[in-house]
Amino acid sequence: MAATPRAVELAQAAAAAAQDKLAQDVVGLDVSGQLALTDVFVIASAPNERQVGAVVDAVEERLLQLGAKPLRREGQHEGRWVLLDFSDIVVHVMHAEDREFYDLERLWKDCPHVLDATADPAAPDEA
C-alpha cells in the first residue's frame, strides 16, 4: 500500500514550509505499509527551541491553506519535539539533538522516501 496523493501533496507542502524556515534534514517517509494511522511521516530538525516553534507555525499555516487542520499537537510547550497530526500525515519537528538521539529514520528505515532530497519541494513539477 502506498501513500495517497493527498498525503504526498501535504507532505511536500509541509516540507516546503519547514525549509522556508530553515529546517534541516527534512525527510518524508511513506509509513502507510507499516501503520494504519497515517500515510506519511515528515521529519525536520532545527537547532533551537525558538526555531522549532517557527517551523511548526509555518507548517500549520501552509497546510491550513490546503484545508488541513491538525487533529492533535503534542510537545509545543517544551519546544524540543513537536508532533503535528494531520491524519494523512504526521509532522515531527525536532530539536537537532533530540532527532539524533531518537533517530526516527533508523526506526522506519524500511519505509520508502516520498520527498526527493535533492529537489526543492516548493518547486513546480516539470513533467
Side-chain angles (χ1 to χ4, degrees), residues 51-94:
Q51 193 166 359
V52 167
V55 171
V56 166
D57 291 345
V59 168
E60 281 188 296
E61 186 177 310
R62 180 80 51 95
L63 295 189
L64 188 60
Q65 293 171 354
L66 296 174
K69 292 182 184 179
L71 303 175
R72 190 169 326 132
R73 182 184 306 113
E74 301 287 337
Q76 191 154 5
H77 182 69
E78 296 82 15
R80 303 246 344 146
W81 180 351
V82 180
L83 180 143
L84 299 170
D85 180 356
F86 291 92
S87 184
D88 292 330
I89 70 169
V90 173
V91 179
H92 300 266
V93 183
M94 306 173 79

Side-chain angles (χ1 to χ4, degrees), residues 25 27-29 31 34 41 43 81 92 94 98-113:
D25 303 319
V27 298
L29 302 173
V31 296
Q34 306 292 326
F41 279 174
I43 307 168
W81 180 351
H92 300 266
M94 306 173 79
D98 292 349
R99 182 165 179 186
E100 183 178 333
F101 179 79
Y102 290 104
D103 198 6
L104 294 181
E105 290 93 338
R106 182 185 54 80
L107 293 174
W108 298 98
K109 68 182 175 201
D110 295 335
C111 297
H113 287 245

Side-chain angles (χ1 to χ4, degrees), residues 2-14:
T4 65
R6 173 69 173 164
V8 173
E9 172 191 20
L10 293 176
Q12 290 172 336

Side-chain angles (χ1 to χ4, degrees), residues 12 116 118-127:
Q12 290 172 336
D116 182 354
T118 62
D120 179 0
D125 290 335
E126 297 181 20

